[in-house]
Amino acid sequence: MAGDVINIGDSDFQKQVLDAQQPVLVDFWATWCAPCRAIAPSVEALSAQYKGQVTFAKMDIDANQDTPQKYGVRSIPTLLLFKGGKVVDQIVGAVPKARIEDVVKKNL
């Protein structure tokens, strides 16, 4: 994956997301999901734009099922923004880059 987006899994979710010092936007996705692939360039661009302020992460729901289940991810793409170890915002579905950026800016 290009850009500053990190891949995370169930095993490192606590360390990478819940214990993070800055906000973390987690993109729950799957390789077969066309809308997930459609928003990926926006997530990548925002990860470069907000480097050092927000961490951007992707979690493949097929390879990691515990975390999406714990957070009630029922459809993808689902973007959850964590701050201080808690979900503070969410986006479900393919949305324009501006909508994702609004959520990021609102929670800085």
Side-chain angles (χ1 to χ4, degrees):
M1 192 165 327
D4 299 299
V5 180
I6 59 172
N7 283 303
I8 59 170
D10 289 333
S11 62
D12 61 347
F13 185 81
Q14 176 78 37
K15 178 178 178 257
Q16 296 286 351
V17 178
L18 301 181
D19 297 340
Q21 297 301 308
Q22 63 187 21
V24 182
L25 183 80
V26 180
D27 177 4
F28 292 91
W29 73 291
T31 55
W32 49 264
C33 170
C36 299
R37 291 192 306 272
I39 67 162
S42 297
V43 172
E44 301 256 345
L46 290 169
S47 74
Q49 189 176 334
Y50 288 92
K51 185 174 184 151
Q53 299 175 66
V54 178
T55 300
F56 287 77
K58 285 179 125 16
M59 179 177 281
D60 184 336
I61 64 158
D62 289 333
N64 304 279
Q65 297 178 357
D66 293 343
T67 303
Q69 184 177 350
K70 178 179 179 183
Y71 289 96
V73 175
R74 303 261 183 263
S75 62
I76 54 174
T78 291
L79 305 174
L80 296 181
L81 186 67
F82 290 82
K83 194 172 181 181
K86 299 189 179 351
V87 176
V88 293
D89 220 327
Q90 78 169 20
I91 298 170
V92 178
V95 297
K97 178 182 171 191
R99 169 79 174 98
I100 302 169
E101 187 171 12
D102 286 346
V103 166
V104 169
K105 280 202 264 191
K106 181 172 81 172
N107 290 286
L108 282 179

